[in-house]
């Protein structure tokens, strides 16, 4: 009977400690989200669901919690200030232009270094070519494919947030290759 009571008491303490850790985690996440949202130009994307995919290959995806997404791309200046180099091909576009010529691994490394600079636990564990996402981390990370598509769709159900077609007036691309059934545009 004494062993049973000791076991139950230990289990009660373990559950209480787990609850306290969860409360602290939620409090820290809210603080980090508030700080990031104010300081770095992040947009809070609400939880919700949407049809992911194209044409007849769609499926419903539910995002159960809100997330933060940077309102604009990482600039060449931001990247160089943190990493120490600028890999961009279009350097003449200036330090405020988006950084390009970065791999997925480069982007993951950038997120981890930014997290460390801000005193946050990095979101990724990197071992050689293997990368694992630590979902409990409050550090910077790349959006998942579902988060990215959900944010880009901006509540729409069409192929593009602008409608069924994307014209060369809305984006730079080879207007000689429009979507089926739509007129050609300029080559930009």
């Amino acid at each position: 009977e004494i062993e049973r009571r000791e076991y139950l008491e230990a289990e009660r303490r373990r559950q209480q400690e787990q609850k306290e850790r969860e409360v602290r985690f939620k409090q820290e996440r809210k603080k980090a989200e508030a700080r990031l949202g104010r300081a770095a130009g992040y947009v809070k994307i609400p939880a919700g669901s949407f049809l992911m995919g194209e044409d007849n290959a769609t499926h419903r995806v539910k995002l159960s919690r809100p997330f933060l997404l940077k309102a604009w791309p990482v600039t060449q200046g931001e990247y160089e200030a943190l990493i120490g180099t600028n890999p961009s091909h279009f350097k003449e576009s200036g330090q405020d232009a988006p950084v390009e010529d970065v791999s997925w691994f480069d982007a993951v490394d950038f997120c981890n270094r930014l997290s460390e600079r801000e005193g946050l636990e990095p979101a990724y564990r990197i071992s050689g070519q293997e990368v694992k996402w630590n979902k409990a981390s409050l550090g910077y990370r790349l959006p998942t494919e579902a988060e990215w598509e959900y944010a880009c769709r901006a509540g729409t159900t069409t192929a593009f947030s602008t409608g069924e077609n994307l014209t060369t007036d809305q984006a730079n691309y080879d207007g000689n290759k429009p979507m089926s059934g739509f007129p050609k545009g300029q080559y930009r």
Side-chain angles (χ1 to χ4, degrees), residues 28-188:
E28 289 302 314
R29 179 174 291 279
K30 282 185 179 183
K31 283 185 211 173
E33 287 176 352
R35 187 178 77 248
L36 294 175
R38 283 192 311 270
Y42 284 75
V43 176
K44 187 173 186 177
I45 308 296
S49 65
F50 73 108
L51 285 177
M52 184 173 177
E54 297 179 19
D55 303 324
N56 295 329
T58 61
H59 58 282
R60 183 149 299 277
V61 173
K62 181 180 179 184
L63 299 172
S64 57
R65 64 180 189 204
F67 60 97
L68 294 173
L69 189 65
K70 198 164 191 295
W72 53 82
V74 172
T75 67
Q76 292 181 31
E78 289 171 318
Y79 191 89
E80 187 171 6
L82 185 66
I83 303 299
T85 61
N86 181 356
S88 298
H89 177 75
F90 298 101
K91 289 181 179 76
E92 71 278 358
S93 297
Q95 293 288 294
D96 290 333
V99 67
E100 25 82 19
D101 275 357
V102 294
S103 69
W104 182 82
F105 287 102
D106 294 335
V108 163
D109 180 52
F110 179 85
C111 290
N112 275 357
R113 289 189 194 198
L114 187 57
S115 297
E116 289 168 350
R117 187 183 80 184
E118 299 288 329
L120 300 170
E121 179 183 8
Y124 302 103
R125 293 190 183 115
I126 304 170
S127 176
Q129 292 293 308
E130 185 177 324
V131 176
K132 294 199 180 211
W133 173 23
N134 175 7
K135 293 181 181 180
S137 166
L138 299 175
Y140 292 88
R141 66 176 178 83
L142 300 171
T144 65
E145 182 179 3
E147 288 170 339
W148 180 253
E149 186 170 335
Y150 178 67
C152 290
R153 286 187 177 275
T156 64
T157 57
T158 55
F160 300 94
S161 63
T162 57
E164 292 295 339
N165 186 32
L166 185 65
T167 70
T168 56
D169 292 330
Q170 298 164 321
N172 291 330
Y173 72 95
D174 185 351
N176 293 313
K177 300 176 183 174
M179 292 186 65
S180 179
F182 291 96
K184 288 185 178 184
Q186 295 180 4
Y187 179 85
R188 296 183 194 218

